[in-house]
Amino acid sequence: MSYQPGSIYKIGGRRYVDSQAVLNLSRTHEVVAHQDGWRVIVDDGAVQCARVEDRPELPRQRGALYELSAQGGASLKAQRAAWLSQGLLEPAGTFDTWPGEPPAKAGCGCGKTCGCAPCRLKHGHHHDHEEQSS
């Protein structure tokens, strides 16, 4: 079986890796199971890999997806650079918003009689149960 680098992503300013990346990191670092994922032990602390669920799959994603965060004195930027230079990870995409998710709806668009909050605000009906005087 050939070696495959794991994928790393930047989405909305946050970093994510796939299961292949965590597996690769376990070859060079101590990786400890954590309640919602894994903790990669590094020189100055740790990098927390928290499992992400209920999101569309990303390009080149292998297995589960994990959000990265630095703990202790660890620098996520420095660790990421080291892991990239060692070939453990490779960039798989940078996105402003989560790719593959449908755009958020601005409101249901039902009209003046709709009771949803966006329509009430749009049509100026701010008080749900007050009677209007004629």
Side-chain angles (χ1 to χ4, degrees):
M1 188 162 129
S2 65
Y3 172 81
Q4 295 181 349
S7 295
I8 186 166
Y9 308 89
K10 183 178 181 182
I11 305 170
R14 296 176 185 235
R15 301 287 179 172
Y16 299 86
V17 295
D18 63 9
S19 291
Q20 183 67 50
V22 176
L23 176 65
N24 293 350
L25 295 174
S26 72
R27 294 178 179 151
T28 59
H29 298 282
E30 180 181 357
V31 176
V32 180
H34 194 261
Q35 73 185 56
D36 64 344
W38 303 95
R39 180 176 288 136
V40 181
I41 308 303
V42 297
D43 290 337
D44 297 328
V47 174
Q48 178 69 30
C49 304
R51 177 101 186 235
V52 175
E53 297 187 24
D54 301 327
R55 294 289 191 154
E57 191 167 308
L58 297 171
R60 298 186 348 219
Q61 178 181 335
R62 291 183 217 72
L65 194 68
Y66 300 90
E67 181 178 356
L68 301 180
S69 60
Q71 297 179 328
S75 164
L76 190 54
K77 183 177 182 178
Q79 285 305 141
R80 181 176 43 88
W83 295 337
L84 287 167
S85 71
Q86 294 168 4
L88 300 172
L89 309 175
E90 64 181 16
T94 299
F95 310 94
D96 292 329
T97 60
W98 206 277
E101 274 192 349
K105 291 183 179 180
C108 66
C110 297
K112 291 182 180 183
T113 59
C114 178
C116 77
C119 286
R120 284 195 322 258
L121 289 172
K122 180 178 178 182
H123 299 292
H125 185 93
H126 300 289
H127 307 288
D128 287 333
H129 300 290
E130 290 182 12
E131 288 185 26
Q132 295 181 357
S133 57
S134 309

